[in-house]
Amino acid sequence: RKEVEQDPGPFNVPEGATVAFNCTYSNSASQSFFWYRQDCRKEPKLLMSVYSSGNEDGRFTAQLNRASQYISLLIRDSKLSDSATYLCVVPGGGGSQGNLIFGKGTKLSVKP
Amino acid sequence: DTAVSQTPKYLVTQMGNDKSIKCEQNLGHDTMYWYKQDSKKFLKIMFSYNNKELIINETVPNRFSPKSPDKAHLNLHINSLELGDSAVYFCASSQGFSMTPQHFGDGTRLSIL
């Protein structure tokens, strides 16, 4: 299994839809996870941190399944402004210990 | 106030030249990073410094040399630039590493002619 793996998408959804992304990771010792959002030609920005089973912030919910080694991001009532690439981030293990490993991202496009 | 600032924002130069990118953070963080994001949008770590000490040095050509004069600054010098160096370079900082989120600068877009 790759260190971090995401479906690249694109996910094309209408405004108001609910959309979910999954991310699998290989380092079973990972304790903290993050979802970042990156707009076109911009820097990644922290969306949510996940330290236990999950986290919720408004329309965004992140869930962690340690047994299956995946985290998910659920976006409810999608807005046009949610269009971006969503990066799953996990701590590195083995030779990468000490740094964060960024997934290649899942692209979301919300249409009117 | 910009938390993590990089200069320059755009850098267009010819193959073979030497260039530097500067990064400063005013968040009081003790760890800083350089990432490279290539045309395929894959964000890959290059270096990490914790309290001015090199912590992570991924497989990067030795033409790339980071320097951290203090824990608020991490500069990147690149010698003998090559076409493959064209990318967006992001600086980031965090308090500690691995368990804590990172804050990114807005990137330096390097284009090699």
Short mmCIF file of all heavy atoms in Angstrom, two decimals, chain A residues 20-45:
data_model
loop_
_atom_site.label_atom_id
_atom_site.label_comp_id
_atom_site.label_asym_id
_atom_site.label_seq_id
_atom_site.Cartn_x
_atom_site.Cartn_y
_atom_site.Cartn_z
N ALA A 20 -18.29 12.83 -0.66
CA ALA A 20 -17.33 12.24 0.29
C ALA A 20 -16.09 11.77 -0.44
O ALA A 20 -16.17 11.21 -1.54
CB ALA A 20 -17.97 11.08 1.03
N PHE A 21 -14.93 12.02 0.18
CA PHE A 21 -13.65 11.54 -0.35
C PHE A 21 -13.04 10.59 0.65
O PHE A 21 -13.14 10.80 1.85
CB PHE A 21 -12.65 12.69 -0.54
CG PHE A 21 -13.19 13.90 -1.22
CD1 PHE A 21 -12.97 15.15 -0.71
CD2 PHE A 21 -13.92 13.79 -2.39
CE1 PHE A 21 -13.45 16.28 -1.33
CE2 PHE A 21 -14.42 14.91 -3.03
CZ PHE A 21 -14.18 16.16 -2.48
N ASN A 22 -12.39 9.56 0.16
CA ASN A 22 -11.65 8.65 1.02
C ASN A 22 -10.16 8.77 0.78
O ASN A 22 -9.71 9.16 -0.31
CB ASN A 22 -12.07 7.20 0.76
CG ASN A 22 -13.35 6.85 1.49
OD1 ASN A 22 -13.78 7.54 2.40
ND2 ASN A 22 -13.98 5.77 1.05
N CYS A 23 -9.43 8.41 1.80
CA CYS A 23 -7.97 8.43 1.70
C CYS A 23 -7.45 7.24 2.49
O CYS A 23 -7.85 7.05 3.64
CB CYS A 23 -7.45 9.74 2.28
SG CYS A 23 -5.67 9.78 2.61
N THR A 24 -6.60 6.42 1.89
CA THR A 24 -6.01 5.29 2.62
C THR A 24 -4.56 5.60 2.92
O THR A 24 -3.89 6.33 2.19
CB THR A 24 -6.11 3.99 1.82
OG1 THR A 24 -5.46 4.16 0.55
CG2 THR A 24 -7.56 3.60 1.59
N TYR A 25 -4.07 5.04 4.03
CA TYR A 25 -2.68 5.28 4.42
C TYR A 25 -2.04 3.98 4.87
O TYR A 25 -2.73 3.02 5.25
CB TYR A 25 -2.60 6.34 5.54
CG TYR A 25 -3.32 5.96 6.82
CD1 TYR A 25 -2.65 5.33 7.86
CD2 TYR A 25 -4.67 6.26 6.99
CE1 TYR A 25 -3.30 4.99 9.03
CE2 TYR A 25 -5.33 5.91 8.15
CZ TYR A 25 -4.65 5.27 9.18
OH TYR A 25 -5.30 4.94 10.32
N SER A 26 -0.72 3.94 4.86
CA SER A 26 -0.02 2.67 5.14
C SER A 26 0.59 2.61 6.54
O SER A 26 0.78 1.52 7.08
CB SER A 26 1.09 2.45 4.10
OG SER A 26 2.04 3.50 4.19
N ASN A 27 0.88 3.76 7.15
CA ASN A 27 1.55 3.76 8.44
C ASN A 27 0.55 3.55 9.56
O ASN A 27 -0.13 4.48 9.98
CB ASN A 27 2.31 5.08 8.62
CG ASN A 27 3.05 5.15 9.94
OD1 ASN A 27 3.22 4.14 10.63
ND2 ASN A 27 3.51 6.33 10.31
N SER A 28 0.47 2.34 10.07
CA SER A 28 -0.54 2.02 11.08
C SER A 28 -0.28 2.73 12.41
O SER A 28 -1.15 2.80 13.26
CB SER A 28 -0.59 0.51 11.31
OG SER A 28 0.68 0.03 11.72
N ALA A 29 0.94 3.27 12.58
CA ALA A 29 1.26 3.96 13.83
C ALA A 29 0.84 5.42 13.81
O ALA A 29 0.98 6.12 14.82
CB ALA A 29 2.76 3.86 14.10
N SER A 30 0.33 5.91 12.69
CA SER A 30 -0.04 7.32 12.58
C SER A 30 -1.09 7.68 13.61
O SER A 30 -2.05 6.94 13.83
CB SER A 30 -0.59 7.62 11.17
OG SER A 30 0.41 7.43 10.21
N GLN A 31 -0.89 8.84 14.25
CA GLN A 31 -1.80 9.29 15.30
C GLN A 31 -2.60 10.52 14.90
O GLN A 31 -3.66 10.77 15.46
CB GLN A 31 -1.00 9.62 16.56
CG GLN A 31 -0.30 8.43 17.18
CD GLN A 31 -1.29 7.42 17.73
OE1 GLN A 31 -2.25 7.77 18.40
NE2 GLN A 31 -1.09 6.16 17.39
N SER A 32 -2.09 11.30 13.98
CA SER A 32 -2.78 12.53 13.60
C SER A 32 -2.86 12.62 12.09
O SER A 32 -1.96 12.14 11.38
CB SER A 32 -2.06 13.75 14.17
OG SER A 32 -0.71 13.76 13.76
N PHE A 33 -3.92 13.20 11.64
CA PHE A 33 -4.18 13.29 10.19
C PHE A 33 -4.74 14.67 9.89
O PHE A 33 -5.28 15.34 10.77
CB PHE A 33 -5.20 12.22 9.77
CG PHE A 33 -4.82 10.84 10.19
CD1 PHE A 33 -5.12 10.37 11.46
CD2 PHE A 33 -4.13 10.01 9.32
CE1 PHE A 33 -4.73 9.10 11.87
CE2 PHE A 33 -3.74 8.74 9.72
CZ PHE A 33 -4.04 8.28 10.99
N PHE A 34 -4.60 15.06 8.65
CA PHE A 34 -5.07 16.39 8.28
C PHE A 34 -5.71 16.35 6.90
O PHE A 34 -5.31 15.57 6.03
CB PHE A 34 -3.91 17.39 8.26
CG PHE A 34 -3.07 17.39 9.52
CD1 PHE A 34 -1.88 16.68 9.58
CD2 PHE A 34 -3.48 18.10 10.62
CE1 PHE A 34 -1.12 16.66 10.73
CE2 PHE A 34 -2.73 18.09 11.79
CZ PHE A 34 -1.55 17.37 11.84
N TRP A 35 -6.67 17.22 6.71
CA TRP A 35 -7.18 17.51 5.38
C TRP A 35 -6.81 18.96 5.07
O TRP A 35 -7.07 19.86 5.87
CB TRP A 35 -8.70 17.35 5.31
CG TRP A 35 -9.15 15.92 5.18
CD1 TRP A 35 -9.65 15.13 6.17
CD2 TRP A 35 -9.15 15.12 3.99
NE1 TRP A 35 -9.96 13.89 5.67
CE2 TRP A 35 -9.66 13.86 4.34
CE3 TRP A 35 -8.77 15.35 2.67
CZ2 TRP A 35 -9.80 12.82 3.42
CZ3 TRP A 35 -8.91 14.32 1.75
CH2 TRP A 35 -9.42 13.07 2.13
N TYR A 36 -6.19 19.14 3.90
CA TYR A 36 -5.86 20.47 3.42
C TYR A 36 -6.68 20.73 2.16
O TYR A 36 -7.05 19.80 1.43
CB TYR A 36 -4.37 20.58 3.06
CG TYR A 36 -3.45 20.84 4.22
CD1 TYR A 36 -3.16 19.84 5.14
CD2 TYR A 36 -2.85 22.08 4.39
CE1 TYR A 36 -2.30 20.08 6.21
CE2 TYR A 36 -1.98 22.33 5.44
CZ TYR A 36 -1.72 21.33 6.34
OH TYR A 36 -0.87 21.56 7.39
N ARG A 37 -6.88 22.01 1.90
CA ARG A 37 -7.54 22.40 0.67
C ARG A 37 -6.55 23.24 -0.13
O ARG A 37 -5.85 24.09 0.43
CB ARG A 37 -8.77 23.22 1.06
CG ARG A 37 -9.34 24.02 -0.05
CD ARG A 37 -10.31 25.07 0.42
NE ARG A 37 -10.69 25.82 -0.77
CZ ARG A 37 -11.93 26.05 -1.13
NH1 ARG A 37 -12.93 25.65 -0.38
NH2 ARG A 37 -12.19 26.72 -2.25
N GLN A 38 -6.49 22.99 -1.44
CA GLN A 38 -5.61 23.80 -2.29
C GLN A 38 -6.40 24.30 -3.49
O GLN A 38 -6.90 23.51 -4.30
CB GLN A 38 -4.37 23.02 -2.76
CG GLN A 38 -3.38 23.90 -3.50
CD GLN A 38 -2.06 23.21 -3.81
OE1 GLN A 38 -1.98 21.99 -3.90
NE2 GLN A 38 -1.00 24.00 -3.98
N ASP A 39 -6.51 25.62 -3.60
CA ASP A 39 -7.14 26.23 -4.77
C ASP A 39 -6.09 26.34 -5.87
O ASP A 39 -4.88 26.35 -5.61
CB ASP A 39 -7.68 27.61 -4.40
CG ASP A 39 -8.85 27.50 -3.44
OD1 ASP A 39 -9.96 27.23 -3.92
OD2 ASP A 39 -8.65 27.66 -2.23
N CYS A 40 -6.59 26.47 -7.10
CA CYS A 40 -5.69 26.53 -8.25
C CYS A 40 -4.68 27.66 -8.09
O CYS A 40 -5.04 28.80 -7.79
CB CYS A 40 -6.52 26.73 -9.52
SG CYS A 40 -5.56 26.61 -11.02
N ARG A 41 -3.40 27.33 -8.21
CA ARG A 41 -2.30 28.28 -8.16
C ARG A 41 -2.18 28.98 -6.79
O ARG A 41 -1.67 30.10 -6.70
CB ARG A 41 -2.44 29.32 -9.28
CG ARG A 41 -2.45 28.70 -10.67
CD ARG A 41 -2.57 29.76 -11.75
NE ARG A 41 -1.37 30.57 -11.85
CZ ARG A 41 -0.25 30.21 -12.45
NH1 ARG A 41 -0.16 29.01 -13.02
NH2 ARG A 41 0.79 31.01 -12.49
N LYS A 42 -2.66 28.29 -5.76
CA LYS A 42 -2.54 28.84 -4.41
C LYS A 42 -1.84 27.83 -3.51
O LYS A 42 -1.59 26.69 -3.91
CB LYS A 42 -3.93 29.13 -3.84
CG LYS A 42 -4.72 30.16 -4.61
CD LYS A 42 -4.24 31.55 -4.30
CE LYS A 42 -5.18 32.59 -4.91
NZ LYS A 42 -4.71 33.96 -4.64
N GLU A 43 -1.55 28.27 -2.28
CA GLU A 43 -0.90 27.37 -1.34
C GLU A 43 -1.91 26.46 -0.65
O GLU A 43 -3.09 26.82 -0.54
CB GLU A 43 -0.12 28.18 -0.28
CG GLU A 43 -0.97 28.86 0.78
CD GLU A 43 -1.52 30.20 0.36
OE1 GLU A 43 -1.59 30.47 -0.88
OE2 GLU A 43 -1.89 30.98 1.25
N PRO A 44 -1.49 25.29 -0.16
CA PRO A 44 -2.40 24.44 0.62
C PRO A 44 -2.77 25.14 1.92
O PRO A 44 -1.93 25.78 2.56
CB PRO A 44 -1.55 23.19 0.91
CG PRO A 44 -0.43 23.23 -0.07
CD PRO A 44 -0.16 24.68 -0.33
N LYS A 45 -4.04 25.00 2.31
CA LYS A 45 -4.49 25.59 3.56
C LYS A 45 -5.17 24.52 4.40
O LYS A 45 -5.93 23.71 3.88
CB LYS A 45 -5.48 26.73 3.29
CG LYS A 45 -4.82 27.94 2.69
CD LYS A 45 -5.80 29.09 2.53
CE LYS A 45 -5.07 30.30 1.96
NZ LYS A 45 -5.97 31.42 1.66
#
